[in-house]
Amino acid sequence: MNWNRRIASIAAFGFLLSSAARAEGIDTPVRHDFPGWKVFQQVAGELNGDGNPDVAAVLSKPAEGTDENGQALLVVYVGDGQGGYKLAVQSPKAICVGCGGPKAAMGEPLGALSIVKGQLRIRYEGGSREEYQDDLKWRFDVTKGDFFLVGESQYVTDTVGSEPDEKLDINYLTLKMEKKVGKKKHACAVDREFRAVKLSDFDYDGKHVDDLDKISEACGRH
């Protein structure tokens, strides 16, 4: 192994160690804040603009009693600048279990997290005959202490092929959207009732799926 490769290997190993340290760092506050819950997925990055590493995580809890699927919870912890974390936001209904249809992972929370350019992103994938991929973008508002929905892109494909593919691109800040069905495009306005959606109040399966249908149908009328 030459010297450059050795340095690269050492750096990569150090990165893995630091990632592991971050992963362990959130376990203690989760055990304290949410007894009985476990970290199912987590991503680290900068979310509130203070330069400290933050963590967004999906927590899971086993099924109990008549609850066949178990429970899931989305939480965001912000770094305190001293290696610790403080709970900033929790969203009981942003992530659901057993709600993605036959094409989703059975018995697992629906919603994969990532942090891109300071935004928290959640991707939902599932469906049956129609497969869908729904990407939501959230931005933290420091003054209000919560994340707000700023953008969304949804792709729907008919696996049988009898219906054209459909794509929605929505900007919740400008209240403008583009809808593409096959090769046809529509540019539409989005109703103001869908603006300023907070992550803490967000209900993906119980409300947002219906809201998205309303937005899409309204655009299709033009």
Side-chain angles (χ1 to χ4, degrees):
M1 178 183 294
N2 64 36
W3 183 245
N4 289 334
R5 289 183 179 177
R6 181 173 297 178
I7 292 176
S9 298
I10 294 173
F13 181 67
F15 174 78
L16 291 174
L17 287 177
S18 64
S19 298
R22 288 197 300 269
E24 293 175 359
I26 196 177
D27 287 339
T28 298
V30 166
R31 284 195 299 268
H32 177 270
D33 297 331
F34 304 98
W37 293 77
K38 293 184 178 181
V39 177
F40 176 79
Q41 184 213 352
Q42 65 179 313
V43 291
E46 219 290 325
L47 286 169
N48 62 352
D50 65 0
N52 297 316
D54 308 310
V55 176
V58 174
L59 309 184
S60 63
K61 194 174 185 180
E64 297 179 355
T66 58
D67 181 11
E68 297 179 357
N69 296 313
Q71 301 177 57
L73 175 67
L74 173 61
V75 297
V76 179
Y77 282 85
V78 295
D80 61 8
Q82 300 177 350
Y85 295 97
K86 179 181 179 181
L87 180 64
V89 177
Q90 58 178 301
S91 183
K93 297 183 179 180
I95 306 294
C96 50
V97 184
C99 56
K103 295 294 177 69
M106 298 300 293
E108 292 187 0
L110 181 71
L113 308 181
S114 62
I115 297 175
V116 181
K117 296 180 179 180
Q119 292 181 342
L120 174 63
R121 299 191 179 183
I122 310 176
R123 171 175 291 186
Y124 304 88
E125 294 181 306
S128 53
R129 169 178 164 172
E130 291 186 334
E131 292 183 338
Y132 68 88
Q133 176 181 305
D134 197 6
D135 294 298
L136 278 66
K137 302 176 182 179
W138 299 86
R139 183 180 298 165
F140 190 72
D141 187 319
V142 178
T143 60
K144 297 180 179 179
D146 209 334
F147 288 85
F148 287 83
L149 184 60
V150 296
E152 181 170 11
S153 297
Q154 186 193 61
Y155 308 84
V156 179
T157 300
D158 182 4
T159 57
V160 177
S162 60
E163 298 292 334
D165 292 350
E166 183 175 305
K167 179 182 178 182
L168 301 177
D169 281 311
I170 306 171
N171 187 321
Y172 289 103
L173 296 177
T174 62
L175 293 176
K176 295 180 179 180
M177 68 173 288
E178 180 180 271
K179 178 178 180 179
K180 183 178 181 182
V181 181
K183 296 182 179 180
K184 295 182 179 180
K185 293 183 179 181
H186 303 274
C188 306
V190 178
D191 194 284
R192 293 187 64 85
E193 71 171 295
F194 301 110
R195 193 173 190 176
V197 174
K198 295 193 298 183
L199 182 59
S200 58
D201 297 332
F202 186 64
D203 183 349
Y204 179 75
D205 186 53
K207 185 175 187 299
H208 185 71
V209 171
D210 292 337
D211 287 346
L212 194 59
D213 285 342
K214 293 177 184 177
I215 294 172
S216 178
E217 290 173 4
C219 188
R221 298 192 192 107
H222 296 284

